[in-house]
């Protein structure tokens, strides 16, 4: 007797990985590399986010990202992915200081492009003069500045200006003069001089508004005025 054996041929089966789609979006203020496509399961795809000038990368939203807070990272394709790169304006420091005596407001950290209100308030006996620095909207004590970088602004306070004049009681008897030029400011020290005409002599200084107390002496033709009012 003869036995009959049967043989089976086993054909290799080709494994075809499943494909998953990747969609990468971005908010305004930057770009991402173009990797929108379908990828085999368990593969990883490199992501790159590039912010525009004066913008910064915040992070990736969506699942599967290896390092969501880094602009250069990878996403793992174990399912369909929808990823978004988020950008925001950079933050810059606005520093406001002053010269003289007064107060200023507006210092802080702000986003690029923001319009920030600033103000300068002089103390008693002082007045606001002007701002020093880049980006001031107007040279007034209350104004605004647009944030474009780290910026330092300075408010200049000066002593108040006063009305200051000298004159002879009778212009035919002599002349008077203030040695320094205007403006005349609170707390300033100024020299005045009286010159009698021929046939006259200097007697004394007087005042119509009680300013004699500002004089070093009211009995000398040349003296000094310590200004504290008009």
């Amino acid at each position: 007797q003869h036995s009959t054996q049967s043989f089976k041929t086993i054909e290799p089966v080709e494994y075809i990985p499943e494909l998953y789609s990747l969609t990468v979006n971005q908010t305004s203020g930057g770009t991402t590399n173009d990797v929108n496509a379908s990828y085999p399961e368990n593969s990883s795809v490199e992501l790159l986010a590039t912010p525009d000038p004066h913008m910064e990368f915040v992070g990736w939203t969506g699942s599967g990202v290896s390092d969501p807070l880094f602009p250069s990272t990878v996403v793992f394709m174990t399912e369909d992915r929808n990823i978004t790169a988020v950008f925001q304006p950079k933050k810059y420091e606005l520093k406001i200081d002053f010269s003289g005596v007064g107060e200023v407001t507006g210092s802080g950290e702000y986003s690029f492009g923001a319009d920030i209100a600033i103000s300068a308030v002089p103390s008693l006996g002082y007045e606001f003069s002007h701002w020093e620095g880049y980006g001031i909207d107007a040279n007034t004590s209350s104004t605004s500045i647009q944030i474009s970088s780290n910026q330092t602004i300075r408010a200049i306070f000066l002593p108040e200006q006063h009305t200051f004049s000298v004159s002879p009681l009778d212009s035919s008897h002599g002349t008077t003069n203030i040695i320094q030029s205007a403006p005349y400011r609170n707390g300033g020290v100024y020299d005045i001089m009286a010159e009698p005409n021929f046939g006259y002599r200097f007697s004394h200084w007087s005042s119509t508004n009680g300013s004699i107390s500002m004089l070093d002496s009211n009995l000398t033709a040349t003296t000094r005025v310590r200004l504290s009012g008009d």
Side-chain angles (χ1 to χ4, degrees):
Q1 291 183 346
H2 297 279
S3 62
T4 302
Q5 292 182 330
S6 61
F7 297 92
K8 293 182 179 179
T9 301
I10 300 176
E11 297 289 338
V13 177
E14 183 181 359
Y15 173 70
I16 300 176
E18 189 169 353
L19 296 178
Y20 292 116
S21 65
L22 172 62
T23 302
V24 179
N25 311 286
Q26 64 276 329
T27 62
S28 61
T31 58
T32 58
N33 57 330
D34 186 8
V35 290
N36 288 341
S38 294
Y39 297 92
E41 61 180 316
N42 296 321
S43 61
S44 61
V45 181
E46 292 184 359
L47 300 177
L48 178 63
T50 305
D52 294 338
H54 301 295
M55 301 292 290
E56 61 185 5
F57 174 75
V58 177
W60 300 96
T61 62
S63 61
V65 178
S66 174
D67 296 301
L69 299 181
F70 288 86
S72 179
T73 185
V74 297
V75 58
F76 299 111
M77 300 303 298
T78 56
E79 59 182 72
D80 291 336
R81 301 294 191 190
N82 194 313
I83 307 299
T84 301
V86 180
F87 302 96
Q88 70 179 11
K90 276 186 178 179
K91 299 284 188 179
Y92 290 110
E93 183 181 7
L94 173 61
K95 181 180 179 182
I96 302 179
D97 58 19
F98 60 89
S99 173
V101 184
E103 295 181 351
V104 292
T105 62
S107 292
E109 190 177 69
Y110 304 101
S111 298
F112 173 79
D115 284 308
I116 305 303
I118 61 175
S119 66
V121 180
S123 295
L124 185 65
Y126 281 77
E127 63 185 10
F128 171 78
S129 174
H130 62 279
W131 294 100
E132 292 180 348
Y134 173 76
I136 297 296
D137 181 66
N139 201 28
T140 55
S141 60
S142 293
T143 183
S144 65
I145 183 171
Q146 188 173 56
I147 303 302
S148 60
S149 61
N150 291 325
Q151 291 161 271
T152 299
I153 306 298
R154 179 182 293 255
I156 306 300
F157 298 114
L158 295 176
E160 282 182 326
Q161 294 187 51
H162 291 304
T163 300
F164 181 28
S165 62
V166 298
S167 60
L169 185 62
D170 189 320
S171 59
S172 66
H173 296 172
T175 59
T176 56
N177 188 36
I178 304 173
I179 304 302
Q180 294 83 5
S181 300
Y184 303 112
R185 297 189 177 276
N186 186 60
V189 179
Y190 305 100
D191 300 295
I192 60 175
M193 178 184 297
E195 297 186 24
N197 289 338
F198 181 76
Y200 289 86
R201 65 177 178 82
F202 170 80
S203 172
H204 63 278
W205 297 96
S206 64
S207 173
T208 58
N209 72 332
S211 300
I212 292 301
S213 60
M214 300 182 196
L215 294 176
D216 281 0
S217 171
N218 75 318
L219 300 178
T220 57
T222 299
T223 188
R224 183 163 289 175
V225 179
R226 303 178 186 277
L227 206 61
S228 58
D230 294 331

